[in-house]
Amino acid sequence: MKRKFSDLHCHNHMRAHFQMQEKHKKFMRKGEFSPWTVIASNERNKSKGKMGASYSQMDLVKCWNANLRLTFNSLYPLERQFVKGMKVEVGEDKWFKFLVAFATSHHLPIRDFIQVAYMRIPDKVVDYFQSPDYDYWESLNREMEFVTMDSGKLIRKNEIHVPGKIVGEFKAATKRARLFPQEYVATNATYRIPKSKVELEASLANDQEITMVLTIEGAHALGTDRINSIEDVSDRIQFIKNVWKHPVFFITFAHHFDNKLCGHAHSIPDTGKLLLNQRDKMNGGFNNNGRKIIKELLGINSDFEKVDDFGYRILIDVKHMSARSRKEYYSLVEKCLKNDDRIPVIASHCGYSGISSLDRHIELEDKEKDDYCDETGLFNAWNINMCDEDIEMIVKTRGLFGLSFDQRILGITKKDKETRRNGVQLIWENIEGIILSAYNNPNLNEFEKPQIWNSITIGTDFEGLIDPVNPYPSALEFELFGNNLVFEIEQARKDPAKPHLHHLKSREDVEKAVDGFCYNNAEAFVLENYPV
């Protein structure tokens, strides 16, 4: 039986939406305005394992052909800082930064060129993102309408759009469909966004459709940058809960830049730092507005009691939250636990940091330079990743840890970028690190520790501008990955020095554990926690 897959964090529609949102009438006329439309990829960059900006990793066609049957699809209005360029502050004396800042000022065409080349976003869309008309809240609603438009519809065959082809697009699209059918062609395919738990159960039971769960990446999407009062954000949460026809399962509360609610973790490395400034509120904590909004999303009052007035619960994803913000959030979760209200902690697309505690992460903030690792040299030790304390909270709350497929997040440094380690070994190192973290944690009892096996899953961040682990650049390599992971764990379990693997008595046990990681854990989690 073919293995099924899920993904706790990806952007199935993002490339299509970026390409089409400013020319939707044109794409409507051509019959291409659909989340199913595949935007042609740069096959050379994909084959070289380059960053997933110029090729598709997780569009719906790839999901369908990869037997990915459960996707947590993240809505994400692009933060305008990605297209603003960098303003160098007084006292920064690196002249090349001034040069880059000058070259990327708002008034020079070269700035547009750099952004389009770096992120592969059409120049007209970049112009929109730069303009005063760009509004996160309006963009979020447009994105929701786009991604829900074909929910439940049977697609006989998808369309293919080849950017830059003014003439000869049909011929170019036909050629790609012939040469790369798995990448470009889905037939008699369906995805469904469940409106209720009943619909969710029916969709998951039907292998002939993709079950799509909606999530949001970044509370900035609520328009926190240009509101008149925090009550406007409260009203928008109620709008999502009461007017949107499809529920939002969780929100990744922080992202790369200041959302006016809580501090974000350091996340941008290398050349990105020359163009992008994420210093405002980086590594900070919650403010009072943030404390109010997170309670309203969770549906709890000031006494940490669940109430119906705030509507259904939208869970919180702690990825991108700073260590300080996570520390305060976990305090809230603990208070709710004392009220017999379990709020599962989600870390949707992370790696293991190898660090013991959030306090230790806070102490080490200044060390977060490129290639900064933990003492073992295996794990990316930036506080964007999850430490032992995070894993403890995930286990205690029966939450879910989604493992990113971004090689930098998983711990690849410049020295081992092209080595054998940049493959299934890297992913297994992180999985085993997470498992050992739970088994070695004195705050978890003997019943809780093995639960970590049910709390880990795939959370690739595909289509999120990541540089994927070399052998697995897209969802189409998931089957290869699953087989590779079975082999890796099968070898590891035979080592008598690994008691955390002693419950795996046979290859069948290993296959079951891999099936859990690839699909079953995520399915069980969403069935338990989806809004009624």
Side-chain angles (χ1 to χ4, degrees), residues 491-507:
Q491 300 306 305
R493 77 173 180 86
K494 298 172 184 176
D495 185 345
K498 293 181 180 288
H500 55 288
L501 303 181
H502 285 178
H503 67 292
L504 302 174
K505 305 296 185 183
S506 65
R507 185 182 177 91

Side-chain angles (χ1 to χ4, degrees), residues 217-248:
E217 185 157 35
H220 72 280
L222 301 172
T224 57
D225 63 322
R226 54 169 65 179
I227 54 164
N228 295 319
S229 74
I230 197 62
E231 299 308 322
D232 292 340
V233 179
S234 300
D235 290 344
R236 289 170 179 182
I237 292 171
Q238 289 306 307
F239 187 88
I240 289 172
K241 291 184 177 185
N242 296 309
V243 178
W244 282 19
K245 296 178 181 179
H246 304 84
V248 171

Side-chain angles (χ1 to χ4, degrees), residues 33-49:
F33 193 73
S34 166
W36 281 103
T37 296
V38 178
I39 309 302
S41 294
N42 184 322
E43 297 296 332
R44 184 181 302 173
N45 282 355
K46 181 188 174 186
S47 66
K48 291 181 178 180

Side-chain angles (χ1 to χ4, degrees), residues 35-75:
W36 281 103
T37 296
V38 178
I39 309 302
S41 294
N42 184 322
E43 297 296 332
R44 184 181 302 173
N45 282 355
K46 181 188 174 186
S47 66
K48 291 181 178 180
K50 298 290 186 181
M51 184 177 286
S54 58
Y55 65 89
S56 175
Q57 298 175 317
M58 186 60 95
D59 59 57
L60 285 170
V61 169
K62 289 182 178 62
C63 289
W64 184 257
N65 291 329
N67 208 33
L68 188 139
R69 289 298 180 263
L70 172 58
T71 181
F72 296 77
N73 187 24
S74 187
L75 307 176

Side-chain angles (χ1 to χ4, degrees), residues 387-507:
C387 67
D388 295 336
E389 187 175 347
D390 294 297
I391 293 166
E392 177 184 329
M393 289 301 300
I394 290 169
V395 172
K396 280 185 173 180
T397 61
R398 300 206 311 271
L400 202 56
F401 189 129
L403 198 72
S404 172
F405 272 35
D406 186 326
Q407 55 182 264
R408 181 183 67 85
I409 287 293
L410 295 179
I412 286 293
T413 60
K414 292 182 179 69
K415 70 177 184 345
D416 56 10
K417 191 173 178 64
E418 302 303 327
T419 64
R420 181 181 176 276
R421 182 175 178 245
N422 194 344
V424 72
Q425 178 186 341
L426 177 67
I427 295 175
W428 171 236
E429 285 171 357
N430 275 263
I431 294 173
E432 189 172 31
I434 295 162
I435 291 167
L436 281 169
S437 171
Y439 274 78
N440 294 332
N441 191 324
N443 298 322
L444 297 175
N445 62 42
E446 295 309 304
F447 171 77
E448 290 172 322
K449 290 176 181 180
Q451 296 304 309
I452 188 61
W453 286 95
N454 302 319
S455 296
I456 49 176
T457 191
I458 294 171
T460 61
D461 197 17
F462 277 165
E463 308 295 7
L465 199 70
I466 71 163
D467 191 356
V469 177
N470 279 356
Y472 319 118
S474 78
L476 292 176
E477 286 73 41
F478 274 173
E479 185 66 25
L480 171 65
F481 160 72
N483 293 336
N484 290 164
L485 186 59
V486 168
F487 178 83
E488 202 76 11
I489 301 177
E490 176 67 11
Q491 300 306 305
R493 77 173 180 86
K494 298 172 184 176
D495 185 345
K498 293 181 180 288
H500 55 288
L501 303 181
H502 285 178
H503 67 292
L504 302 174
K505 305 296 185 183
S506 65
R507 185 182 177 91

Side-chain angles (χ1 to χ4, degrees), residues 12 64 96 108 113 173 190 245 287 299 305 324 327 349 351 404 444 452 462 469 488 496 520:
N12 306 123
W64 184 257
F96 71 94
L108 294 179
F113 172 77
T190 308
K245 296 178 181 179
N287 60 29
E305 298 169 334
R324 281 184 179 83
K327 187 173 180 177
H349 54 296
S404 172
L444 297 175
I452 188 61
F462 277 165
V469 177
E488 202 76 11
N520 292 334

